[in-house]
Amino acid sequence: MKNRFTLTLLIVSFYSIADSPEPTQLALALKQLDGVETSLERARSSASTDPQSRYFFDYLQAQQDITTVEQGIRRYLAPARAQPRAVQPLSASYQRENPDD
């Protein structure tokens, strides 16, 4: 009985979130990006720095791109002016040849 209640509560919560207005969805996206940042930091701290590896994940570039996305969402949610700002392109390249690049 308790499991049914919990499942029902989760389903109702999911649908209420899905029907939420755009600002609520974007605030949720910011929270999720915070989680991504935390996961990337954990991955970075446990990453192999073996010099024999051919490629390494570029954690710094990934962090910079996440920060760019977060800033864009925050600017949209609380615009400082009526004119849109220039879009900063994302790198989308997270593979490196050397772990120290």
Side-chain angles (χ1 to χ4, degrees), residues 60-74:
L60 180 61
Q61 186 61 59
Q63 177 60 49
Q64 289 172 346
D65 286 348
I66 291 170
T67 299
T68 299
V69 172
E70 287 175 329
Q71 288 172 349
I73 292 172
R74 285 191 177 96

Side-chain angles (χ1 to χ4, degrees), residues 7-64:
L7 181 59
T8 303
L9 186 61
L10 286 172
I11 291 171
V12 169
S13 296
F14 173 76
Y15 283 112
S16 65
I17 289 171
D19 291 336
S20 298
E22 181 185 37
T24 303
Q25 292 294 324
L26 291 173
L28 179 60
L30 286 173
K31 287 180 184 179
Q32 292 171 340
L33 286 170
D34 286 340
V36 170
E37 288 175 314
T38 301
S39 294
L40 276 174
E41 182 56 35
R42 281 195 304 259
R44 186 194 61 76
S45 67
S46 65
S48 170
T49 56
D50 179 12
Q52 299 298 335
S53 294
R54 184 169 177 185
Y55 298 108
F56 299 91
F57 189 81
D58 191 349
Y59 291 97
L60 180 61
Q61 186 61 59
Q63 177 60 49
Q64 289 172 346

Side-chain angles (χ1 to χ4, degrees), residues 5 21 52-53 76 85 91 97:
F5 176 75
Q52 299 298 335
S53 294
Y76 177 78
R85 295 182 185 217
S91 165
E97 301 271 335

